Amino acid sequence: MVILDNHISKPGWCCSNSDGNGFFGDQYFNPDLWIKGLTKMATIFNGVRNVVGMSLRNELRGPKQNVKDWYRYMQLGAEAVHAANPEVLVILSGLNFDKDLSFVRNQAVNLTFTGKLVFEAHWYGFTDGQAWVDGNPNQVCGRVVDNVMRLSGFLLEQGWPLFVSEFGADLRGNNVNDNRYLNCFFGVAAELDWDWALWTLVGSYYLREGVIGLNEYYGLFDWNWCDIRNSSFLERISSLQSPFRGPGVFETGLHKVIYHPATGLCVQRKSFLDPLTLGPCTESEAWSYTPHKTISLKGAYFCLQAKHVGKPAKLGIICTDCGSTWEIISDSKMHLSSKADNGTTVCLDVDSSNTIVTNTCKCLSRDKTCDPASQWFKLVDSTRSSTTTKSFFQFNPILDLPGKDFIWKFFGLF
């Protein structure tokens, strides 16, 4: 675990962030002093191995913000940091509270160095006001994610590293806007394998906003800095602290894991006969999502099947019927939908014991009071290996067992 300016972050990130918000052209900005400060910080940490990056300026904003000055000063600052510390990554933030890097799509940053430039973005529930409360979560998630990808996420498609250097939520757990946002954020963060930093570690402040001992409800620590404010959130976020696929993670071949954003857990099985459950992603199955839209265990002949409404999803070997086909539906692109034996459309779901079941799909209408979180899943690319060994039913030698015809017929009943 690495600390970044009162942030808790994915391992591997430790950065210095220049002080101050505002924009380069405001009354408080002195470009010479800013360059001097960046140079001083880069020099101090030259050779300090756990400081791997420097962010040039935090949350640019205000009426004077403009693209021309952004390029002018960001390029000057980046060159100053590089000159003082050739090893450290240089991290560039965007406009409008670090939400907007859309202008980089068509105009590259012009620097004398390569291979060490990183972009950063911020994303909170309040970034979109009360949209998560006022709208249907599926529709809001789809709309907001599209906007995030338009403003900054496209950089990943262009091959640039993108660091979500601030996200967070009210960890008391009773903020509906934040809770719905987090479910969407966790799904996207897992799918894109984002590096991130959480606001914030602190539990309270000596003095802030004129209040002595102000409680920081976004903080991992509680007010007295002795206990964790929300232990379930800490467990949940641990699923994102290790990369799913890297770069640099090549423990096994590329496969899918079925990730559940609301819990930070992944679909797994103990044996063929036990129901599928949620468990740590480090113990997840290796799945594939085929062109025929079946979700199959890699290295085996079993696929995920929907059988009955309100009953556990099954593994079977007859993978050509409607109950073995899984569509990714809804605006959130996180509902996995199939057909039960009676023809009812169902979605993958989780019951109170964390067993994987199929139920009628939730929140596909415009209903804003509905919460689809239990039915949100992401098929996430991974090259991580599982830490557990499963039953022999996973492996191909079953094909050579005596009485194999009876075994296949027996399995087909499930």
Side-chain angles (χ1 to χ4, degrees), residues 124-252:
Y124 289 96
F126 58 73
T127 299
D128 300 281
Q130 291 295 302
W132 298 95
V133 173
D134 295 337
N136 173 274
N138 275 313
Q139 294 172 328
V140 176
C141 182
R143 182 175 69 249
V144 169
V145 171
D146 285 347
N147 194 48
V148 169
M149 296 304 293
R150 179 181 64 84
L151 293 177
S152 60
F154 71 90
L155 289 162
L156 294 171
E157 300 167 357
Q158 292 187 346
W160 293 105
L162 178 64
F163 174 38
V164 183
S165 55
E166 280 191 33
F167 85 99
D170 186 335
L171 296 185
R172 292 174 293 180
N174 55 8
N175 185 315
V176 175
N177 202 67
D178 278 0
N179 293 343
R180 290 179 172 182
Y181 145 77
L182 276 181
N183 293 331
C184 183
F185 177 90
F186 269 71
V188 177
E191 180 182 34
L192 299 179
D193 208 21
W194 264 339
D195 285 301
W196 50 265
L198 173 73
W199 181 273
T200 179
L201 181 67
V202 306
S204 59
Y205 304 94
Y206 288 124
L207 179 66
R208 186 172 187 180
E209 300 174 359
V211 178
I212 297 174
L214 181 68
N215 206 335
E216 174 55 88
Y217 295 121
Y218 278 49
L220 279 182
F221 283 116
D222 65 3
W223 180 85
N224 61 16
W225 289 66
C226 293
D227 299 311
I228 299 299
R229 188 180 300 274
N230 187 328
S231 59
S232 62
F233 177 80
L234 195 60
E235 294 172 2
R236 178 182 178 189
I237 203 173
S238 67
S239 65
L240 300 178
Q241 284 192 278
S242 296
F244 283 98
R245 62 183 184 274
V249 179
F250 304 108
E251 298 172 353
T252 187

Side-chain angles (χ1 to χ4, degrees), residues 1 85 99-100 116 129 136 148 186 241:
M1 189 176 297
N85 190 334
K99 294 183 295 185
D100 186 5
K116 50 179 285 185
N136 173 274
V148 169
F186 269 71
Q241 284 192 278

Side-chain angles (χ1 to χ4, degrees), residues 71-86:
Y71 279 99
R72 176 186 178 187
Y73 290 112
M74 282 296 191
Q75 290 172 170
L76 284 174
E79 295 289 1
V81 168
H82 175 67
N85 190 334

